[in-house]
């Protein structure tokens, strides 16, 4: 037994009537500036020209986002028709930008995050918003600024950012005087070496000007230099005990995580 449901077209018909009334109020000169209506939609083919040798059409859909000579795809082809934008795969390193919005994000970084998450129509609306400004907006605020549909979509994107991009590390300072078994929680948002160092120093009252680097114990007891890439691949809820290692420079130390 099949159940067929129908939806009322009252809303669309009402909008059509309102639009017709608005058009009838226009002068002949204003009407002449409007695009002619059509019962069908005309599709325009996209013709791409490749500006660099060695780049093929299939490169535009490879998984790396780079051509054979390691150049970005955006540098390899151009679209001669400015009315139609060319779809491009994100290049290496851009996937992280999609979820890199934090309270420390600048206005430029915030606009780039909005663009990467397909909120191009609202770049002017949030033209002066830094990351902290955008993150303070409630669901209701976003609906008022963008309408119900896009407001909810942006709210969900911001919530997803918080779930996927932040990690929590549990850290214990060994050699801080009185022995302690209580770990401190450190939350990372931008997942960078500099953020990790500043938050460790702030949590344990260490002068960041005396820290020249961070190391991490690796397989077989080797020491690994901590970089932005290493921080991005740290497991959520990981536990670390760290000590301060003296260096050849007087008063300077290295944070060693193990």
């Amino acid at each position: 037994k099949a159940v067929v449901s129908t939806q009322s077209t009252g809303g669309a018909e009402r909008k059509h009537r309102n639009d017709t009334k608005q058009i009838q109020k226009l002068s002949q000169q204003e009407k002449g500036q409007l695009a002619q209506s059509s019962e069908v939609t005309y599709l325009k083919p996209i013709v791409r020209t490749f500006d660099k040798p060695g780049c093929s059409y299939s490169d535009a859909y490879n998984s790396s986002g780079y051509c054979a000579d390691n150049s970005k795809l955006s540098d390899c082809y151009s679209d001669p028709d400015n009315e139609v934008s060319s779809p491009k795969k994100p290049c290496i390193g851009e996937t992280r930008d999609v979820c890199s919005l934090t309270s420390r994000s600048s206005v430029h970084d915030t606009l780039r995050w909005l663009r990467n998450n397909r909120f191009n129509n609202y770049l002017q609306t949030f033209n002066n918003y830094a990351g902290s400004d955008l993150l303070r907006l409630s669901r209701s605020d976003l609906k008022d600024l963008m309408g119900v549909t896009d407001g909810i979509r942006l709210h969900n994107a911001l919530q997803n950012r918080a779930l996927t991009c932040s990690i929590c590390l549990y850290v214990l300072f060994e050699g801080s005087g009185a022995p302690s078994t209580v770990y401190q929680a450190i939350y990372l948002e931008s997942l960078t070496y500099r953020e990790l160092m500043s938050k460790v120093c702030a949590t344990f009252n260490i002068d960041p000007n005396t820290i020249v680097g961070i190391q991490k114990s690796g397989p077989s007891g080797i020491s690994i230099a901590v970089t932005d890439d290493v921080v991005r691949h740290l497991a959520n809820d990981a536990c670390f005990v760290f000590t301060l290692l003296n260096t050849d420079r007087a008063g300077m130390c290295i944070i060693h995580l193990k």
Side-chain angles (χ1 to χ4, degrees), residues 216-235:
K216 174 180 175 293
S217 294
S220 303
I222 64 173
S223 294
I224 301 172
V226 174
T227 62
D228 288 348
D229 285 336
V230 174
V231 176
R232 280 195 291 266
H233 288 84
L234 292 176

Side-chain angles (χ1 to χ4, degrees), residues 77-129:
Y77 68 86
S78 59
D79 189 350
D81 192 346
N82 291 330
E83 295 180 2
V84 183
S85 60
S86 301
K88 294 184 290 183
K89 296 285 284 185
C91 297
I92 292 176
E94 290 185 354
T95 54
R96 193 71 211 173
D97 290 339
V98 175
C99 61
S100 61
L101 183 70
T102 70
S103 58
R104 296 184 179 86
S105 296
S106 64
V107 172
H108 173 75
D109 292 336
T110 302
L111 292 176
R112 182 172 60 177
W113 183 90
L114 289 168
R115 190 179 299 110
N116 286 339
N117 283 270
R118 299 179 291 110
F119 293 103
N120 302 54
N121 294 338
Y122 301 97
L123 297 181
Q124 190 63 36
T125 303
F126 299 108
N127 189 41
N128 295 316
Y129 280 66

